[in-house]
Amino acid sequence: MTLASRALAQLATWPDLTRAVPSCGLGRAVSSAQGEIAHFHSDRDVDLRLTDRAIRRFAKDLKHSGAIRIVPGSQWVTLRLDAASDVDLLLTLVSVALQAQQSWPDPADRPPVAGCNDQRGKGFVKADLGAF
């Protein structure tokens, strides 16, 4: 079992999340009542929608993690799952993302964008996730 499939299986058990087809059309996703949260694009790469407010709040910490890539102008961050600790980080950040989506709207937040970072030419290799 890959790290991504293990993370997806764990997230699918959370009561606030459901498996979904990603809006970008590639891989697998999980969504909350407020919209998409994470897209699993390969057995190692996950895009996570944190919202503008959450990214601003945690930017310094996120930039210091070698597992996270921030794309300027995006409400999504990309996580590279190379170790079990990266899955733990993903699960923590999904919790942050759920809280960010449910909190009072930030006037600086832009409306949710349908495209995740995979649609922004990040250069990671896309993979068929039929085994998920």
Side-chain angles (χ1 to χ4, degrees):
M1 178 178 271
T2 68
L3 293 172
S5 61
R6 189 169 76 203
L8 180 60
Q10 285 182 284
L11 291 171
T13 67
W14 289 19
D16 292 338
L17 297 176
T18 58
R19 288 184 188 235
V21 175
S23 61
C24 62
L26 178 68
R28 302 288 185 260
V30 289
S31 295
S32 72
Q34 288 77 29
E36 293 178 288
I37 293 276
H39 296 173
F40 291 78
H41 293 295
S42 73
D43 61 353
R44 295 177 68 185
D45 300 317
V46 181
D47 283 343
L48 175 66
R49 183 171 167 262
L50 284 179
T51 75
D52 290 330
R53 175 184 276 176
I55 291 172
R56 285 192 314 272
R57 181 174 179 197
F58 298 108
K60 194 177 224 180
D61 297 314
L62 295 174
K63 288 178 183 176
H64 290 332
S65 171
I68 297 175
R69 181 172 172 271
I70 298 175
V71 175
S74 176
Q75 293 183 1
W76 298 80
V77 297
T78 301
L79 281 84
R80 186 82 167 181
L81 304 177
D82 288 325
S85 60
D86 298 333
V87 173
D88 294 338
L89 176 60
L90 171 64
L91 298 177
T92 299
L93 290 175
V94 168
S95 180
V96 169
L98 284 167
Q99 290 174 356
Q101 283 188 351
Q102 295 168 357
S103 67
W104 190 258
D106 177 1
D109 267 341
R110 292 165 279 130
V113 178
C116 57
N117 286 347
D118 187 68
Q119 300 299 309
R120 297 177 188 273
K122 65 185 176 180
F124 292 139
V125 176
K126 295 181 182 179
D128 177 13
L129 297 179
F132 263 120

